[in-house]
Amino acid sequence: MTRRHLRRTTGSRREPRWVLGAGFATALILGACNAATPTPPPTEAPASVGSAQPSGTPSIPSSAAPQVGQTDTDWGRIWDELPEAFPVYPGATPADEAATGPVSATFALEGADSRTVATWMQTELERAAYRTEALNGPFEDGSFVLELVGSTECRIEVSVAPLGGLTIVTARYGAACPSP
């Protein structure tokens, strides 16, 4: 068998050179057109929960609100604020000036009985899935200390103390608890 015979049996045939050149020129022109066409920049999809950040890219919080800090106390590390869902006795107003030492929050109530407030706090925190470890009191000054735990190692301490005509409620929200 000769080469000529093989070409015929495989169905291939020799193209004229001008056909090959025209095909090459067409490919070059199409490539140049595609390269000259600007590609719009990709639009960023909104970040979803759990989306990965490229390494070395700083994570920017989605809200402009500052992050809540933490403080070390003799009781343990606490959040500097309470979460919005934390139960607050009806009629209580923030009273940071009444705090003695670092706490997550302090509230003042007029004319409320400390036992009633402590019992209400215990009931509401248990409804919020915390478990009471201890309700200590009444102490000599009429105060109560409520100790609760949540899932994992979350701990909460709520003190309820009469002070003149006010009842002062202070809360320590442990750093192992979910971020406020």
Side-chain angles (χ1 to χ4, degrees), residues 77-151:
R77 190 164 184 80
I78 62 170
W79 287 102
D80 294 335
E81 292 180 16
L82 293 175
E84 282 188 37
F86 195 89
V88 177
Y89 194 85
T93 57
D96 293 333
E97 65 278 350
T100 55
V103 295
S104 300
T106 303
F107 301 95
L109 296 153
E110 287 189 45
D113 174 60
S114 57
R115 181 183 298 274
T116 303
V117 175
T119 303
W120 184 90
M121 292 296 299
Q122 178 182 17
T123 301
E124 293 304 308
L125 286 165
E126 286 178 349
R127 281 187 188 156
Y130 295 98
R131 180 177 45 83
T132 301
E133 280 195 327
L135 175 57
N136 302 306
F139 295 105
E140 287 180 7
D141 63 353
S143 65
F144 291 84
V145 176
L146 180 59
E147 298 174 34
L148 301 114
V149 293
S151 60

Side-chain angles (χ1 to χ4, degrees), residues 9 11 17 25 33 39 70 97 112 118 130 139 147:
T9 57
R17 288 186 188 192
C33 289
T39 304
Q70 295 181 348
E97 65 278 350
Y130 295 98
F139 295 105
E147 298 174 34

Side-chain angles (χ1 to χ4, degrees), residues 21-37:
F24 182 69
T26 303
L28 282 177
I29 292 171
L30 288 176
C33 289
N34 285 339
T37 305

